[in-house]
Amino acid sequence: MRVLIVEDEPDVARHIARVLTAAGFLPEISGDGESAQFLSDTEDFGAVILDLGLPRLDGLSVLRSWREAGKTMPVIALTARGSWRDRVEGINIGADDYISKPFEAEELVARLRAVLRRSAGHASPEIIVGNLRLDTRTMQVTIDGVPAKLSPLEYRAASYLLHHRGQIVGFRELYEHVYGAGESFSNTLETLIGRVRKRLGPSLIETRKGAGYYVPDKPA
């Protein structure tokens, strides 16, 4: 899943990107509010980690413009320790969560996974479809309790589809959340989904011709 990191401190941004990559996400960095607005208008992100103290256009203004435009992606606000007024205003504007600097990597990942679950309507850290169970904490997929061996790309594709079960996920949308927006769209996605079906079962992921892929919320 693609996650936009909006942070003007390069070292902090790179650290967050490394942490998210290790956790199975596909991060992209923006260093100021204006570029973050442009990216959100032109590309699709599953979530945003947004520093509120940004140059050019502050984080609260960016968040306000997103929510006024109807953008619903989960947003975790980064704040300086002690800036409780910004945290309150951010939550009132539409932030889904906040975390104070400095923070532990494990806490950031846990909060990100939690807001993604809630935005998809899942209260539990585990996603269950039939005999398949995805544990978002351990990044492990099991079938009848037996771990399925998935490559990082296979896990990323399976996780995105399972988070959006009951919805048709467009081919390009899934491609960008697996490989990134900078990659040229190709038939490698079909090959990847073929491998996921071999690992998790041929009936889990349906192909909707001309539209995308679909995982039933309640399999037959």
Side-chain angles (χ1 to χ4, degrees), residues 2-23:
R2 298 183 71 207
V3 177
L4 179 61
I5 302 166
V6 190
E7 168 60 63
D8 64 317
E9 297 181 43
D11 289 343
V12 175
R14 286 192 292 267
H15 173 64
I16 295 173
R18 287 192 297 269
V19 168
L20 295 191
T21 299

Side-chain angles (χ1 to χ4, degrees), residues 139-159:
M139 297 170 58
Q140 186 176 69
V141 179
T142 58
I143 301 173
D144 291 325
V146 179
K149 295 182 179 179
L150 299 176
S151 72
L153 285 177
E154 290 164 359
Y155 173 82
R156 197 177 288 163
S159 176

Side-chain angles (χ1 to χ4, degrees), residues 28-73:
E28 185 163 340
I29 295 172
S30 169
D32 62 77
E34 288 183 357
S35 66
Q37 273 203 324
F38 175 78
L39 283 170
S40 70
D41 288 341
T42 57
E43 300 182 25
D44 177 49
F45 294 96
V48 179
I49 296 172
L50 176 68
D51 185 17
L52 297 185
L54 293 171
R56 298 188 183 178
L57 190 63
D58 67 89
L60 288 173
S61 297
V62 173
L63 178 58
R64 183 181 291 106
S65 69
W66 283 341
R67 294 317 191 209
E68 289 177 351
K71 296 183 183 297
T72 60
M73 68 282 191

Side-chain angles (χ1 to χ4, degrees), residues 76-99:
I76 296 179
L78 298 181
T79 66
R81 190 175 298 278
S83 58
W84 64 270
R85 289 184 177 84
D86 283 348
R87 294 200 295 270
V88 170
E89 186 174 358
I91 290 173
N92 286 337
I93 291 172
D96 298 89
D97 200 355
Y98 71 87
I99 188 168

